[in-house]
Amino acid sequence: MIVYVNGESHELSGDKKVSDIIENLGLTGKRIAVELNKEILPFDQYQQYALHNGDRLEIVHAIGGGQAEGMFQTSNDSFTVAGKAYTSRLLVGTGKYKDLEETRLAIAASGAEIVTVAIRRTNIGQNPGEPNLLDVIPPDKYTILPNTAGCYTADEAVRTCRLARELLGGHKLVKLEVLADQKTLFPDVAQTFVAAELLVKEGFDVMVYTNDDPIAAKRLEDIGCVAVMPLAAPIGSGLGIRNPYNILTIVENANVPILVDAGVGTASDAAIAMELGCAGVLMNTAIAEAKNPILMASAMKKGIEAGREAFLAGRMPRKRFASASSPIDGLFF
């Protein structure tokens, strides 16, 4: 019989179970999730399910992915997502680093508590002893935020989230992004609405990437997303916040956390987002593609803290003309 594993055909003889495929690929005991004919197959059924001719298996694991700790304790300042409070307002991704050790060190320097990962097919030819991303960012230390990076339809995004939930043992918190095209990586907002509605109905806690349109952001909140994440600029562009007044409008009208996602280039960009009142900032490329990613991670942490403190302090009003800092009373001339 012929079965398909991660898109490749395999000819099998005799009675075979899903567990046999997993063993042959050297994945026994690894952190994986399995989709059988577009339905999640629980791990306790791997040894029970007998394969049939034409079956299609997708086997995935977590890899570095996403686009953004320790927040300065100002009156126990924190924000809450899906019922859990976080003091770090810097969220980081795990893609584009030169190796897993640099990934680990940069995340540690950022102080992030929430870390995004992408869900991809397992590499059938990989060394069984190769280190796993989840060994570097263990789920007992970080909140793992699986994302749907690379998805261009609602169906692809929903399937990815289901696999992530299986991979991480029932994990419900996900970052939803449905992209419109490969050149701009702007969100397909219409497909994002569809995917968000389906995921919320299935009980997922959805943090959602969208454009900087206040109307779209509010609708995603009304759908039931636990956080809305408007872009600052195109993903990976480093252009900073292009439409600060749109972000401000989104923040002012929201009842859920608003986190800037995508387009941040340096620490001052992160500070501006926080000064606008955002709950946090998610970033990846700005850190990973810096000449010194670990130092940049530290800088981003400080930028987030400074921006948040400035927001809480309340900036002085802008004035057209000068206003002397020193009193004029008592001058001796």
Side-chain angles (χ1 to χ4, degrees):
M1 64 178 169
I2 302 295
V3 300
Y4 298 87
V5 182
N6 288 358
E8 297 181 1
S9 63
H10 292 254
E11 185 172 352
L12 305 178
S13 60
D15 295 332
K16 297 293 183 182
K17 303 222 172 15
V18 171
S19 58
D20 296 322
I21 294 287
I22 292 173
E23 182 179 358
N24 289 341
L25 297 177
L27 297 173
T28 302
K30 301 291 185 182
R31 286 181 176 269
I32 60 172
V34 176
E35 181 188 72
L36 173 66
N37 300 328
K38 295 190 175 183
E39 296 289 337
I40 297 297
L41 184 68
F43 73 92
D44 58 1
Q45 295 183 22
Y46 295 169
Q47 294 182 334
Q48 301 174 19
Y49 185 86
L51 291 166
H52 302 87
N53 188 52
D55 277 345
R56 291 182 175 273
L57 291 165
E58 291 288 344
I59 305 176
V60 304
H61 64 161
I63 67 167
Q67 286 100 340
E69 223 249 81
M71 175 70 185
F72 179 80
Q73 297 288 329
T74 305
S75 301
N76 198 31
D77 184 51
S78 64
F79 77 105
T80 301
V81 174
K84 183 174 180 178
Y86 297 93
T87 55
S88 169
R89 294 175 180 271
L90 175 58
L91 294 73
V92 296
T94 48
K96 301 184 178 180
Y97 291 100
K98 69 179 182 181
D99 54 35
L100 287 180
E101 178 62 9
E102 184 177 78
T103 305
R104 182 186 69 81
L105 292 172
I107 291 173
S110 77
E113 296 171 299
I114 301 177
V115 181
T116 68
V117 300
I119 304 300
R120 293 292 185 272
R121 287 172 167 172
T122 56
N123 182 355
I124 291 176
Q126 78 179 40
N127 184 341
E130 184 177 329
N132 188 288
L133 178 64
L134 295 181
D135 297 328
V136 174
I137 47 168
D140 59 345
K141 181 177 180 181
Y142 298 98
T143 293
I144 305 301
L145 181 61
N147 65 51
T148 62
C151 293
Y152 290 87
T153 68
D155 178 67
E156 291 172 357
V158 171
R159 287 177 61 195
T160 299
C161 288
R162 289 170 179 162
L163 280 163
R165 180 170 57 188
E166 177 69 14
L167 175 65
L168 297 172
H171 188 82
K172 297 193 301 178
L173 185 65
V174 295
K175 183 202 166 191
L176 170 64
E177 56 183 84
V178 185
L179 304 177
D181 63 75
Q182 294 184 357
K183 181 177 182 179
T184 68
L185 299 183
F186 282 142
D188 184 328
V189 178
Q191 286 288 292
T192 300
F193 290 154
V194 173
E197 289 177 344
L198 289 170
L199 291 170
V200 169
K201 286 179 181 177
E202 291 191 19
F204 284 93
D205 294 321
V206 181
M207 300 175 70
V208 59
Y209 165 70
T210 185
N211 60 23
D212 57 5
D213 176 4
I215 306 304
K218 192 62 179 177
R219 179 172 174 186
L220 288 164
E221 177 185 332
D222 292 341
I223 286 171
C225 296
V226 297
V228 177
M229 308 175 73
L231 56 79
I235 291 172
S237 67
L239 291 174
I241 298 177
R242 298 294 84 198
N243 294 303
Y245 291 105
N246 279 23
I247 301 294
L248 181 60
T249 300
I250 292 171
V251 170
E252 290 175 340
N253 289 287
N255 295 307
V256 297
I258 303 299
L259 299 95
V260 159
D261 177 17
V264 169
T266 190
S268 59
D269 298 330
I272 289 171
M274 300 309 298
E275 290 172 7
L276 290 170
C278 292
V281 181
L282 170 63
M283 65 182 75
N284 183 191
T285 306
I287 296 175
E289 292 196 350
K291 293 180 180 179
N292 186 329
I294 298 164
L295 186 59
M296 182 60 80
S298 176
M300 290 298 188
K301 171 184 175 181
K302 296 179 178 73
I304 292 285
E305 293 173 353
R308 179 62 180 174
E309 290 183 24
F311 172 75
L312 294 175
R315 66 156 291 145
M316 62 168 284
R318 290 179 171 86
K319 302 173 184 178
R320 183 178 177 187
F321 297 109
S323 175
S325 298
S326 300
I328 59 174
D329 293 341
L331 288 175
F332 56 85
F333 52 85

